[in-house]
Amino acid sequence: MIDSQYLDKVTKEIKKYEKKTEVPLDSFRVFKEKKTYQEAFSEIIKYNSIRADGRKLDEHRKMFIKLGVSADCRGSCYIELGETKVIVGVHGPKEIPNIQEYTELGKLECIIEYAPFASLTRKKSPEQSDKYMSAAMRRALEPVFCRHEFPNLMIQVSAFVIEDDGCVLSAAITGASLAIAHGRLPLFDFAAAVSISLHNDLILIDPTKAEEEFCLNTISADEKKIENYGVISIAYMPHLDQMSHYQMIGNMDSKLYESTLEIMLNHCRALYSLCSKHLMQEVKLTTKHLSQVKETQDAMDSLSVT
């Protein structure tokens, strides 16, 4: 049997040793010096209105689109906007769980989730939370999807953010439209989404994460409050000439509204044209595959077994 006095003695020795070898917590902390306005601005705009990644103010990042990346989904799309990477999958239609009464319009359920390694900054504003962005994507896609053709049924759209370098919501909405179209589900039109960042008289198309954070700052170089700042996102259906989504975080003078909106609509039309080409290529590949299957079936049927 172990003596209790012996245990107390050992415990005191361990605590005494821990106090001697204790390392101050502050030695593990990395203190970042607060940057001045000029330092932060020089990291965003280098020279002659050229951004840090070499783009002009009105230049979109390079985009990569791949359809049919997941075999478990009815329709899927992988989309890259620079370093922002999002994969979208569509499931259904399936019956709405625990439904109590008949519904003429089908339900659209949207979910946006982040990978643990998607962003270096873990703390998000309310407008950047998963729940808020999921609701925003649902509102943007409901006018696009033909819900009247799926009474008492639901379609689930899931977006998984692999890497976040700005414009996540725009990439998710565009990728979701492509995924729904790839799943052969009926659409009124295709929604193309674009974001801009605003800082005084600077309008940055398709901003990166650093540019978004800088443009949400409300203090200028002379320590005065900025009137025009923030991030704006829209989803536009060019064929119907309708906006299905408009979101602004920040503040903007009413005089700039028309000019910024026209810039964003022009970029949405260009994005719409690019996405339409990808969908047409997918249709051609599917048609070619079906014709090859038909030819193979006809050849098998023509064989006579004796």
Side-chain angles (χ1 to χ4, degrees):
M1 186 174 180
I2 301 176
D3 188 5
S4 59
Q5 292 182 355
Y6 175 74
L7 287 176
D8 292 340
K9 184 179 179 181
V10 172
T11 304
K12 289 179 181 179
E13 290 293 332
I14 292 174
K15 289 182 178 180
K16 187 185 297 184
Y17 177 77
E18 287 179 347
K19 288 182 179 180
K20 290 181 180 179
T21 59
E22 186 177 4
V23 180
L25 182 61
D26 291 341
S27 62
F28 294 99
R29 295 176 181 172
V30 179
F31 295 96
K32 295 183 179 179
E33 295 183 1
K34 189 176 180 180
K35 297 178 182 178
T36 63
Y37 175 85
Q38 293 297 339
E39 290 175 344
F41 184 83
S42 62
E43 291 183 359
I44 302 301
I45 305 298
K46 294 300 183 181
Y47 57 91
N48 296 333
S49 299
I50 300 298
R51 292 145 83 170
D53 54 5
R55 291 183 293 153
K56 297 179 181 179
L57 298 180
D58 60 347
E59 188 176 349
H60 208 278
R61 284 180 290 182
K62 291 183 179 180
M63 178 181 291
F64 175 80
I65 296 173
K66 177 68 176 177
L67 300 175
V69 293
S70 176
D72 298 332
C73 303
R74 181 186 179 103
S76 58
C77 173
Y78 172 74
I79 184 169
E80 288 185 5
L81 285 176
E83 296 300 324
T84 298
K85 302 175 178 65
V86 182
I87 183 169
V88 185
V90 177
H91 298 270
K94 58 184 179 180
E95 188 176 353
I96 300 175
N98 302 322
I99 188 171
Q100 300 296 327
E101 57 184 10
Y102 177 80
T103 57
E104 293 185 358
L105 296 177
K107 180 182 178 182
L108 191 65
E109 185 180 55
C110 297
I111 302 171
I112 295 181
E113 295 178 332
Y114 281 75
F117 48 82
S119 177
L120 294 176
T121 56
R122 295 183 179 272
K123 188 177 181 181
K124 301 176 184 178
S125 63
E127 295 82 3
Q128 294 175 324
S129 64
D130 298 357
K131 186 176 180 180
Y132 183 91
M133 294 182 69
S134 299
M137 185 168 74
R138 177 181 56 80
R139 290 193 298 268
L141 294 177
E142 280 182 345
V144 177
F145 181 60
C146 298
R147 295 192 295 151
H148 64 281
E149 296 192 14
F150 299 93
N152 276 13
L153 298 175
M154 65 177 293
I155 303 293
Q156 187 180 59
V157 181
S158 302
F160 187 70
V161 182
I162 302 174
E163 189 170 350
D164 177 10
D165 191 32
C167 299
V168 168
L169 182 59
S170 299
I173 293 172
T174 304
S177 296
L178 285 167
I180 294 173
H182 176 257
R184 276 67 172 175
L185 293 170
L187 298 172
F188 290 110
D189 195 5
F190 175 84
V194 170
S195 297
I196 68 167
S197 285
L198 191 66
H199 186 80
N200 273 338
D201 57 344
L202 291 178
I203 299 176
L204 307 177
I205 299 294
D206 187 24
T208 61
K209 187 74 172 178
E211 290 170 348
E212 286 181 346
E213 293 175 352
F214 174 77
C215 290
L216 288 172
N217 183 24
T218 61
I219 304 300
S220 63
D222 53 2
E223 301 298 327
K224 294 182 179 180
K225 191 171 182 179
I226 299 174
E227 293 185 0
N228 302 313
Y229 68 92
V231 180
I232 308 173
S233 302
I234 69 165
Y236 177 62
M237 298 181 287
H239 185 68
L240 298 177
D241 194 22
Q242 293 180 1
M243 282 194 302
S244 63
H245 169 75
Y246 184 93
Q247 173 184 288
M248 179 174 181
I249 306 171
N251 183 62
M252 179 176 61
D253 187 74
S254 58
K255 297 178 182 178
L256 286 176
Y257 177 78
E258 290 187 6
S259 59
T260 55
L261 183 60
E262 188 61 32
I263 291 172
M264 297 177 74
L265 292 179
N266 289 334
H267 281 269
C268 283
R269 294 185 185 102
L271 180 59
Y272 181 90
S273 177
L274 176 64
C275 294
S276 298
K277 292 179 181 179
H278 280 81
L279 289 174
M280 285 302 299
Q281 289 179 356
E282 184 66 22
V283 171
K284 290 179 181 178
L285 289 174
T286 304
T287 305
K288 183 179 180 181
H289 174 71
L290 291 175
S291 63
Q292 289 176 350
V293 171
K294 184 68 168 58
E295 291 174 0
T296 303
Q297 187 64 38
D298 293 341
M300 294 294 293
D301 294 339
S302 64
L303 295 176
S304 58
V305 181
T306 57

